[in-house]
Amino acid sequence: MLRSKRNTSNAFIGDIIFDDWKNDGKVDHASVITKISNGKIYVSQHNKNYKYRSLAAQRSAEPKMNIWIYRPKLEWY
């Protein structure tokens, strides 16, 4: 379950970023915000080469990229 969509100004560690690399409205990949430092967002993905990669670097590598940021809604039962 995901909570409402966020933007980079109200993102938190643990939020999930869904990437649309082609800007065609389809999710191509996902990453998790693992660090925020001096206003910069860092994400980690599925391998060690993408641990603490800055969101700015990711956007630079994929100039057409659009992102959606969501916060998981934890429900402990």
Side-chain angles (χ1 to χ4, degrees):
M1 181 70 59
L2 298 172
R3 287 190 179 171
S4 62
K5 189 164 37 170
R6 307 289 174 179
N7 58 47
T8 55
S9 66
N10 65 359
F12 286 95
I13 293 172
D15 286 354
I16 300 170
I17 296 180
F18 294 100
D19 305 307
D20 173 8
W21 291 331
K22 301 172 190 169
N23 200 8
D24 61 2
K26 297 177 183 177
V27 174
D28 298 302
H29 203 68
S31 54
V32 177
I33 297 175
T34 51
K35 179 180 175 182
I36 299 176
S37 178
N38 295 322
K40 293 182 180 180
I41 295 174
Y42 296 86
V43 299
S44 293
Q45 296 178 5
H46 57 86
N47 65 43
K48 65 182 178 182
N49 295 331
Y50 289 95
K51 185 175 182 182
Y52 301 121
R53 183 179 190 195
S54 75
L55 184 58
Q58 192 164 334
R59 283 186 164 173
S60 178
E62 299 290 341
K64 292 182 179 181
M65 183 175 75
N66 188 26
I67 64 168
W68 299 279
I69 302 174
Y70 285 89
R71 181 156 305 139
K73 180 181 176 186
L74 302 177
E75 294 182 9
W76 303 100
Y77 295 103

